[in-house]
Amino acid sequence: MENNSIYILAIESSCDDTSAAVLCNKTRLSNVVATQKIHEEYGGVVPELASRAHQQNIVPVVHQALAKANIDKKELSAIAFTRGPGLMGSLLVGTSFAKSLAMGLNIPLIEVNHMQAHILAHFIEEENNKTPTFPFLAMTISGGHTQIVLVKDYFKMDILGQTLDDAVGEAFDKSAKILGLPYPGGPLIDKYAQSGNPKAFPFPRPKVDDLNFSFSGLKTSILYFIQKQTKENPNFIEENRDDICASIQYTIVDILMTKLKKAVKKTGVKRIAIGGGVSANSGIRKALENAEKDLGWTTYIPKFEYCTDNAAMIGIVGYLKYKEEKFTDQSVTAKARYVINT
Ligand code: KG4
Ligand code: ZN
C-alpha cells in the first residue's frame, strides 16, 4: 500500500438510497447502494419510511462497502457524509452515523453538499472517462433536482437556474402516473417513446424567465389533455400510449435543451456535463449528441452508477476537501435546505 494513498469512507442518505463507498484518492474501490423498494407502492418517496429504512440499512451497507474495498476501518483517512440538501430524517441518519464513526476512529469528518457532489462525480477516475476542464456548465437532472450551474473550479460554483416547482424527474414520474404507469415511470416513458411520434400531441412550454425551470404546468396540461381525451374515447391511453410518451419526452427534452442553449449563450461556455437519474434518458442523450455535432459542444455524461444518488460522488468531494484540509467540526448538523457554496 502506498503511503500517499488517502482512503475516504463516504456515506449518502439524503433521499431514498442508503449508500456507502470507499475511495482511494480519486478511484472508487467500492460503491454500495441499497435502494428502498418500499416507496414504489406509494408512488413516491415517503420521508418517514425513508429514514427508518436508512436506519436499518446503514450498518450493513457500510460493512459491505469496506469488505468490497478490502479495507479495514483502521486504514481510513477520513469520513465524508452528505450534510444536505435532502429529507431531514434521512440526512440525520447518515450525519449521526458519520459523526460517531469519525469520533470513534479519531479521524477527520468532512461534510459534503449533495448537489456539489452530483457535479464533482465527473472527477471520479475511471478508464475511458473524459473529465471536464474548468469552466464548464453542469446540468443536474433527477427526481429531486433540476439545476444549471456554472462550475469555475471544484468549489467555485454559481447556480444559473433551477426549478421553481417540480424537478424534471418528477415531471416524468407524474406524467407516467397519469398514464397509469408504475413508479418511477421515467424509464417507461423513455421506453414507449422509442416507438412513438414525438410530434403527435403538442404540449405547451412553461413561460419562465432566464434559466429557471417550471414543470408543474406541464403536468397539469397533460392531466387535462388525458382527461378530455379519455372522456371521448375510454381507450385513448392504450391506443396512443407510445405517441403520448414520445410527445411528453420530446417536450421535456426541448425545455431542457432550450435552457442549456441559453446558458451557453450567456456564459460562452460550451462544455456541458450532466448528472442525475434523468441523464439516462435516451432523448436527452440524443439531443446532446446532436449538439456536439451541430453546435460544437463537448458533453460529459458519467457512468450511470454515478448519475443516480450514490456515495462514490460524496467520496470524491471528500477526497478533494481532504487535500485542502476542509474538515468539519463534530458540532455539525444536517441541513435540509443547503445551497451550493453556502
Ligand atoms: O438520481 P435519481 O436516481 O434519484 C433522485 O431523484 O435523486 O433519479 C431518479 C429519477 C426518477 O424520476 C426517474 O423516473 C428518472 O430519474 N429516470 C428517468 C430515466 N431513468 C431514470 N427519466 C426519464 N428517462 C429515463 N430513462
Ligand atoms: Zn441527487
Side-chain angles (χ1 to χ4, degrees), residues 12 14-17 35 45 114 118 140-145 167-174 176 182-191 194 249 252 275-285 304 306-310 313:
E12 152 66 32
S14 64
C15 189
D16 60 337
D17 295 307
T35 302
V45 178
H114 179 90
H118 268 300
T140 309
I141 41 178
S142 77
H145 345 282
V168 60
E170 277 181 287
F172 271 108
D173 296 340
K174 287 179 178 173
Y183 173 85
L188 288 170
I189 294 210
D190 193 2
K191 183 176 150 198
Q194 312 288 329
Q249 181 157 308
I252 294 177
V278 180
S279 313
N281 184 265
S282 62
I284 189 77
R285 283 176 176 246
F304 190 61
Y306 304 140
C307 280
T308 54
D309 286 350
N310 70 90
M313 69 181 193

Side-chain angles (χ1 to χ4, degrees), residues 148 159-164 206-214 255 259:
I148 298 181
I159 298 174
L160 303 182
Q162 56 193 332
T163 185
L164 305 175
K207 290 184 185 58
V208 191
D209 287 343
D210 296 330
L211 295 170
N212 288 328
F213 297 89
S214 165
I255 293 169
K259 293 291 177 174

Side-chain angles (χ1 to χ4, degrees), residues 163-239:
T163 185
L164 305 175
D165 41 57
D166 290 350
V168 60
E170 277 181 287
F172 271 108
D173 296 340
K174 287 179 178 173
S175 306
K177 196 172 180 184
I178 295 168
L179 303 180
L181 299 172
Y183 173 85
L188 288 170
I189 294 210
D190 193 2
K191 183 176 150 198
Y192 298 135
Q194 312 288 329
S195 13
N197 171 10
K199 306 253 172 96
F201 307 109
F203 294 114
R205 308 289 187 270
K207 290 184 185 58
V208 191
D209 287 343
D210 296 330
L211 295 170
N212 288 328
F213 297 89
S214 165
F215 289 102
S216 68
L218 177 65
K219 172 193 64 194
T220 310
S221 66
I222 292 169
L223 177 66
Y224 289 164
F225 170 77
I226 295 293
Q227 281 176 340
K228 184 168 173 280
Q229 296 295 332
T230 45
K231 216 181 239 172
E232 288 162 21
N233 170 13
N235 298 324
F236 178 78
I237 296 177
E238 292 87 273
E239 287 168 13

Side-chain angles (χ1 to χ4, degrees), residues 88-150:
M88 188 43 111
S90 293
L91 290 166
L92 281 173
V93 178
T95 303
S96 307
F97 187 90
K99 284 171 69 169
S100 316
L101 192 57
M103 186 188 266
L105 295 170
N106 197 23
I107 54 175
L109 180 68
I110 302 171
E111 61 136 304
V112 174
N113 179 302
H114 179 90
M115 298 309 294
Q116 221 169 42
H118 268 300
I119 295 168
L120 297 177
H122 288 270
F123 295 93
I124 300 171
E125 255 167 30
E126 286 281 330
E127 249 177 81
N128 305 323
N129 180 27
K130 50 174 188 162
T131 300
T133 45
F134 300 114
F136 65 91
L137 290 171
M139 183 167 77
T140 309
I141 41 178
S142 77
H145 345 282
T146 311
Q147 265 191 351
I148 298 181
V149 177
L150 173 64

